[in-house]
Amino acid sequence: MSKLQNAIVGGVRTAMGYVPGNWLPGGTPDPLIERRVTLGTQQSRVDGPDKVRGAAHFAAEVPMEGLLYAACVHSTIPRGRITELDVAAAETAPGVALVMTHRNAPKMAVPPPIGLTNLKAAGNNILPVMQDAEIRWNGQTVAVVLAETQEQADLAASLIKVGYEAAVARTRFEKAKADARTPDSLMIEKNRLKKGDVAVALQAAARSVDAIYRTPWHNHTPIEPNAATIAWKGDRLTVHDATQMLNGTAGSLAKVFGIKESQVYVSSPFVGGGFGGKALWDHQILGAAAAKLAGRPVRIALSRASMVRLIGGRSPTEQRVALAAAADGRLKGLLHHGFSVKPPHSACDEAFTLTSRSLYASESFDVVQHTIDLDVLANTFMRAPGEAPGTFALESAMDELAHELGMDPIELRRRNVPDRNPVSGAPHSQSDVMLAYDLGAKRFGWDRRAAAPRSRREGEWLIGMGCATGSFPYARMPGMTVRITLDGSGHATVSSAAHEMGMGTATVQRQHTADRLGLPLESVTVTIGDTSLPFGSFAGGSSQTASLGAAINAASGKLAVELLRLAGNDTPLAGLRPAEIEFVNGGLRKIGEPSRYESFVSILKRAARDQISVTGVSSAPLEMLKFSMHSRSAIFCELLVSDVTGEVRVDRLVGCFDCGRILNPKTAASQFRGGMIMGIGMALTEEALFDERTGRVMSASIADYHVPAHLDVPDIDILWTDIPDPRTPMGARGIGEIGITGVAAAIANAAFNATGKRVRELPLTPDKFLFA
Amino acid sequence: MAIVINGTNYPLPDDPRVSLLDFLRERLGLTGTKLGCNQGGCGACTVILDGTRVLSCLTLAVQADGRDVLTIEGLASDQSGLHPLQQAFIDHDGLQCGYCTPGQICSAVAMIGELRRGDPSYVTADLVEGPKGGLRQEIRERMSGNLCRCGAHNGIVAAIEQMLNGEAP
Ligand code: FES
Ligand code: FES
């Protein structure tokens, strides 16, 4: 955000300070918190049968007449110019319909960047796409081949000869630190936080720690590769995409091709894993451009190698955390500084210091982060951007401090958990991380932990236990829109351009709508996944459930008004105002007077209507400005480290989550586990290998980037506090991202407890224990 | 020259470079079998060839000449029904996005056969005695070729365990 946006958010915050909390959206707690019927119960996924049968169709599976297949040729230098481009052999290869390079690509505008303020933009890599001979990162697409089959396209792509004139490129993290920039803001926060004097606190402290933590490049690595099936009809563009930003993609492609948003249709009913990586990148633009040139539909399904060249990952971080504490463990000073990569053509902050501004009370704070500019593909958001690497550093440091103090790590946290936001003073909407710790510790058996490192051994295996806090902020997006259509049989259909990537979107909002409208589950259908439906914000920031929840709530209010109007005077509801009625048993009734009731079926029948439709919109999320709203978790790990090989095996994981009300325990537990498993990968194996000499990603296959396999994943116990958040729809906060946070720290802390070795650089590969 | 897929005969593709995976997905429109990496690393493309699980991305279609291929579409005994393991995946929420799921299920169906046959694995402690079927570690080891990025591992293992402890499929 700009300085101006900072000022506006700051101004609104100041004004909000004088507004009583109950004036705000969600000020009166959502009545569904108390009145749950299907919410809170275990429900299997509505799309489960299709998915287990292989009948759920993904972007690269949409059949089209006359389809051409695309293959990409990528640059092999990080910076410079194309000087030679020989496509003759490719053009005459069997089955080839088109070779597109910067020489014949159509004119296209630079895609507009993803932003929190523009939901119609989804661009990540804000650079011209195939418009000139310039090379801007190692892996940029220099040619696209279209052929009748994938095999023909792949062969022809291999026949293209490209010559380059290389220019000096910035590819070294350490070297580029000297020119690092210090942005004014991070997401919607000011970047620099100074309160009191941390330097003085560190000098005067009874105990202190001060260390550097490092995390590498990460890739999302969804099992479904990024892919799109694309067709033009005149100047109308259809894109079957794998995206978590339907409307953002439509809006961006409209800008790129100079057409109206209404001329772009994007469909993505199922996404085979997103984690931040399924937004708009060059391939959709290239595919659409090539389809336009060839006059035929195109499928562009990226190979794993093309994915690492064209889909950005999570930036590496180097973080310094220093903590100063009194002898009783209370924090006197908290310093969190650091660097991450964010070239000017990237739209995404890796805001790893945000957690340090709210998690613990400290007398003084010194928090700021810097961005490094490299000639690389833009970094992007990946599951819990900021918080995933940030909690690794902060929560490792807390463990180090507990060790220095000779204090139990949970006790240290208990002494420092604030009762309101320690920086802004804003009250928490709901927060009870210590309850999460208490419940989790009991389930885990924390009392069996030996405080002294290296005290337990079984044969070659050293055994340790560790814990850490996870955290992710609440977010609700404005503008999310749903339509509720109620038909003459009393069946409600909810539709919105929302996304399903495995979260159970339709499953949970079906439960929500049933409870909201007083209907049985069977009387609700949820339709999502394409831009012909009412406007949807993105599936990101763990915001989709709350945003859809607010929109459905708003629509239900309008539905009540509309039904009362239709009901007229010949009804037991006659004369009642919307505030006096409630939805129940497939109809409306007067609150506190059950005899004054009429069913939807009866109202519609009398009014001779087949159906009625209303739309509702998620309002401005003012609650985020008034309250400090964060989900937190307590993560526990027991593991083994081989004294011989340095191998780490995670034996047990427990996660206890304080995320408001849990809406569907079955799908929620899966989502928490999924995040925690990605945390195992982050802790132990995941690292995109980047060649600093050439700026090229070396781990260009799924075999080179190690995500957890079955044998790496133990049984994971999931618990939650289930305390409703009175400021949110349904009392729930988002749960998609928090699962990964805190896990790497809990594992590193357990590894310290096992071995006495503190590894501050992820991933925790065997060498780091053997040679530390 | 034909491949039998889910009981139906299909002529071989004319291009010998076509993988069994591309043959299923792009030529026959049987898209239940998923492409995850196209290089043998993820297991999403697993199908059952003459009773044995294979990675269809590493199998040329012509190699399946005259052989029986069973894909996710052919697992259930009738079109709308579900194989008991498919139902167990739903019951235990052994899926999220659903993209790795057909490969996990095909792999598990054939793996159960390997386990019952007594094929040893890396976690089989006593190779003479053979595996003690139903152990979670045994399932995990044998399913480790099927990656799941959503992290549905616990549910997948629970579903397979239920299958192993219940009646034979
Ligand atoms: S697609 Fe065959 S193993 Fe990944
Ligand atoms: S369910 Fe998404 S990859 Fe396994």
Side-chain angles (χ1 to χ4, degrees):
Chain A
M1 272 204 331
S2 66
K3 269 189 181 139
L4 179 67
Q5 282 169 307
N6 265 340
I8 293 170
V9 171
V12 173
R13 280 221 169 105
T14 313
M16 298 295 297
Y18 305 108
V19 180
N22 61 7
W23 287 14
L24 292 165
T28 312
D30 187 341
L32 276 201
I33 291 171
E34 298 304 327
R35 220 183 57 218
R36 310 205 301 176
V37 181
T38 70
L39 285 171
T41 64
Q42 304 244 9
Q43 295 296 332
S44 293
R45 296 167 191 277
V46 293
D47 47 21
D50 277 346
K51 285 177 174 174
V52 299
R53 273 203 300 259
H57 292 294
F58 294 83
E61 298 169 353
V62 179
M64 275 192 192
E65 211 47 60
L67 194 63
L68 291 168
Y69 293 81
C72 299
V73 179
H74 303 282
S75 78
T76 52
I77 61 160
R79 181 131 211 134
R81 289 183 66 77
I82 301 170
T83 51
E84 183 204 340
L85 197 47
D86 181 356
V87 299
E91 279 176 339
T92 53
V96 170
L98 173 79
V99 178
M100 184 175 78
T101 68
H102 70 93
R103 292 180 189 147
N104 59 344
K107 281 250 157 319
M108 294 176 276
V110 170
I114 285 181
L116 298 175
T117 44
N118 182 6
L119 297 174
K120 293 181 175 176
N124 271 278
N125 199 46
I126 312 308
L127 290 171
V129 181
M130 211 173 259
Q131 298 295 296
D132 52 39
E134 206 178 317
I135 299 299
R136 297 172 173 93
W137 80 91
N138 196 328
Q140 177 182 327
T141 312
V142 295
V144 173
V145 179
L146 297 184
E148 302 295 334
T149 69
Q150 189 68 56
E151 292 80 7
Q152 291 169 333
D154 291 342
L155 173 66
S158 74
L159 303 176
I160 293 175
K161 288 203 191 72
V162 192
Y164 303 96
E165 182 187 296
V168 178
R170 293 157 303 171
T171 48
R172 292 178 193 271
F173 189 97
E174 199 54 43
K175 202 167 155 206
K177 269 161 65 178
D179 303 316
R181 286 169 295 118
T182 308
D184 291 327
S185 58
L186 286 174
M187 318 293 278
I188 58 166
E189 301 283 337
K190 273 188 207 154
N191 181 12
R192 245 179 223 290
L193 164 62
K194 266 210 168 200
K195 186 181 161 195
D197 195 330
V198 171
V200 170
L202 279 168
Q203 265 171 11
R207 286 281 185 281
S208 66
V209 294
D210 187 346
I212 304 277
Y213 303 86
R214 290 189 175 83
T215 63
W217 283 103
H218 289 140
N219 285 138
H220 311 81
T221 321
I223 302 300
E224 178 206 27
N226 294 67
T229 304
I230 302 167
W232 288 90
K233 219 183 222 158
D235 54 7
R236 302 188 82 84
L237 176 62
T238 293
V239 181
H240 297 279
D241 198 6
T243 184
Q244 45 198 107
M245 303 193 177
L246 282 161
N247 282 106
T249 300
S252 303
L253 289 174
K255 283 251 157 47
V256 167
F257 290 100
I259 54 181
K260 290 205 279 296
E261 229 177 278
S262 56
Q263 293 171 295
V264 185
Y265 169 76
V266 183
S267 159
S268 193
F270 295 104
V271 180
F275 320 115
K278 297 255 171 84
L280 183 75
W281 293 91
D282 284 11
H283 67 285
Q284 295 105 320
I285 296 170
L286 290 166
K292 199 173 189 183
L293 278 189
R296 284 174 64 181
V298 164
R299 175 163 303 154
I300 184 160
L302 297 187
S303 67
R304 287 283 156 187
S306 286
M307 277 173 77
V308 305
R309 311 275 172 247
L310 296 184
I311 313 295
R314 188 204 301 282
S315 160
T317 69
E318 178 185 298
Q319 307 177 52
R320 177 181 165 212
V321 178
L323 302 172
D328 65 359
R330 270 173 236 283
L331 287 177
K332 297 286 189 184
L334 189 162
L335 176 147
H336 196 166
H337 291 174
F339 299 88
S340 67
V341 175
K342 188 191 179 201
H345 55 271
S346 160
C348 300
D349 290 323
E350 189 63 42
F352 53 82
T353 59
L354 284 189
T355 301
S356 293
R357 301 154 196 254
S358 70
L359 192 52
Y360 298 118
S362 173
E363 270 176 25
S364 62
F365 286 92
D366 180 357
V367 183
V368 68
Q369 62 183 85
H370 313 286
T371 57
I372 288 176
D373 182 9
L374 295 180
D375 293 312
V376 292
L377 172 64
N379 66 296
T380 190
F381 295 141
M382 177 167 153
R383 203 170 204 168
E387 272 73 9
T391 53
F392 167 65
L394 178 64
E395 289 297 293
S396 291
M398 284 296 279
D399 198 69
E400 298 201 38
L401 182 62
H403 184 71
E404 284 297 314
L405 287 159
M407 186 179 283
D408 182 86
I410 299 181
E411 184 56 31
L412 176 62
R413 286 165 174 97
R414 196 181 308 281
R415 295 191 183 185
N416 286 292
V417 165
D419 56 7
R420 51 182 49 236
N421 187 290
V423 175
S424 71
H428 294 139
S429 56
Q430 178 274 324
S431 189
D432 201 344
V433 66
M434 289 324 298
L435 177 61
Y437 263 109
D438 293 341
L439 294 172
K442 197 159 166 230
R443 173 72 64 92
F444 180 75
W446 181 253
D447 52 359
R448 292 190 288 102
R449 173 180 178 268
R454 223 182 159 85
S455 349
R456 286 174 65 200
R457 172 191 282 274
E458 269 171 34
E460 72 174 84
W461 297 97
L462 301 165
I463 303 169
M465 291 183 177
C467 70
T469 311
S471 176
F472 202 75
Y474 164 83
R476 177 170 69 78
M477 299 308 295
M480 175 72 97
T481 309
V482 304
R483 182 171 53 237
I484 300 180
T485 303
L486 192 60
D487 72 15
S489 71
H491 190 98
T493 302
V494 177
S495 45
S496 178
H499 312 77
E500 163 58 23
M501 317 187 282
M503 313 87 100
T505 308
T507 310
V508 166
Q509 296 301 341
R510 180 170 176 246
Q511 291 173 259
H512 173 207
T513 307
D515 287 10
R516 184 72 68 189
L517 300 184
L519 288 169
L521 271 180
E522 311 76 69
S523 297
V524 181
T525 306
V526 177
T527 307
I528 57 173
D530 73 72
T531 56
S532 72
L533 304 171
F535 183 87
S537 56
F538 49 69
S542 296
S543 67
Q544 191 174 248
T545 302
S547 309
L548 278 172
I552 289 172
N553 188 16
S556 76
K558 289 199 186 168
L559 188 64
V561 172
E562 190 60 18
L563 284 166
L564 277 181
R565 198 181 60 77
L566 280 185
N569 292 326
D570 284 341
T571 170
L573 303 169
L576 293 177
R577 283 171 291 120
E580 296 172 293
I581 54 162
E582 61 188 350
F583 287 97
V584 70
N585 291 338
L588 293 177
R589 86 174 167 202
K590 183 172 186 210
I591 297 169
E593 205 180 322
S595 61
R596 295 185 68 180
Y597 165 88
E598 185 170 12
S599 73
F600 303 144
V601 176
S602 153
I603 295 173
L604 263 72
K605 194 167 166 211
R606 206 150 26 77
R609 295 284 295 268
D610 302 341
Q611 60 169 59
I612 56 170
S613 251
V614 292
T615 55
V617 183
S618 173
S619 59
L622 299 179
E623 72 275 25
M624 287 164 64
L625 302 180
K626 171 81 179 176
F627 295 98
S628 183
M629 301 181 77
H630 294 85
S631 287
R632 312 278 197 210
S633 65
I635 307 292
F636 298 85
C637 172
E638 181 166 15
L639 51 65
L640 301 87
V641 184
S642 167
D643 209 15
V644 179
T645 64
E647 180 191 347
V648 180
R649 290 187 183 173
V650 176
D651 205 29
R652 276 185 328 123
L653 274 181
V654 173
C656 186
F657 295 85
D658 185 46
C659 298
R661 267 284 164 90
I662 295 303
L663 304 177
N664 179 345
K666 189 168 185 167
T667 50
S670 291
Q671 219 175 354
F672 287 134
R673 285 197 179 93
M676 289 176 70
I677 291 165
M678 209 174 266
I680 296 176
M682 177 180 168
L684 299 183
T685 54
E686 288 184 39
E687 176 172 24
L689 297 167
F690 180 77
D691 186 340
E692 288 218 316
R693 298 164 307 175
T694 61
R696 194 160 179 89
V697 178
M698 298 182 285
S699 45
S701 85
I702 208 164
D704 292 311
Y705 185 87
H706 302 145
V707 306
H710 279 289
L711 201 55
D712 300 318
V713 179
D715 287 335
I716 299 175
D717 260 335
I718 302 291
L719 301 83
W720 42 73
T721 61
D722 212 21
I723 304 170
D725 187 323
R727 310 296 167 187
T728 67
M730 302 169 276
R733 289 192 296 265
I735 62 168
E737 296 176 88
I738 188 169
I740 189 176
T741 69
V743 175
I747 291 175
N749 296 342
F752 173 75
N753 183 248
T755 63
K757 285 177 188 164
R758 179 68 65 179
V759 179
R760 302 189 181 91
E761 188 171 340
L762 294 181
L764 307 180
T765 43
D767 51 304
K768 290 176 186 147
F769 292 97
L770 282 186
F771 309 120
Chain B
M1 295 268 281
I3 313 180
V4 188
I5 297 168
N6 303 328
T8 306
N9 274 314
Y10 293 93
L12 289 179
D14 40 17
D15 187 341
R17 294 172 299 182
V18 176
S19 67
L20 179 56
L21 176 62
D22 280 350
F23 184 59
L24 291 168
R25 285 171 61 85
E26 305 298 336
R27 309 287 210 278
L28 305 183
L30 289 172
T31 54
T33 305
K34 302 302 178 192
L35 182 152
C37 66
N38 217 17
Q39 55 191 183
C42 74
C45 64
T46 306
V47 299
I48 302 172
L49 184 63
D50 286 341
T52 303
R53 50 183 170 161
V54 298
L55 299 173
S56 62
C57 71
L58 295 188
T59 308
L60 293 171
V62 292
Q63 287 177 281
D65 184 16
R67 302 171 71 183
D68 259 308
V69 179
L70 184 61
T71 73
I72 191 75
E73 289 94 343
L75 267 192
S77 36
D78 66 290
Q79 264 268 304
S80 58
L82 294 175
H83 183 279
L85 187 60
Q86 289 173 319
Q87 186 60 51
F89 264 63
I90 295 174
D91 295 343
H92 291 277
D93 211 31
L95 67 147
Q96 290 182 42
C97 76
Y99 198 80
C100 73
T101 313
Q104 301 274 2
I105 291 173
C106 285
S107 184
V109 165
M111 182 276 282
I112 289 171
E114 294 162 21
L115 198 55
R116 295 216 162 115
R117 205 161 60 217
D119 293 4
S121 80
Y122 160 72
V123 296
T124 306
D126 186 335
L127 287 181
V128 178
E129 230 173 66
K132 297 199 184 54
L135 299 174
R136 289 189 175 192
Q137 282 305 87
E138 205 54 77
I139 298 173
R140 290 192 174 111
E141 156 61 13
R142 288 163 193 270
M143 290 298 294
S144 282
N146 288 84
L147 300 179
C148 173
R149 187 53 159 167
C150 297
H153 304 77
N154 282 188
I156 294 169
V157 172
I160 299 171
E161 190 179 39
Q162 176 189 306
M163 192 75 196
L164 271 166
N165 293 337
E167 282 301 288

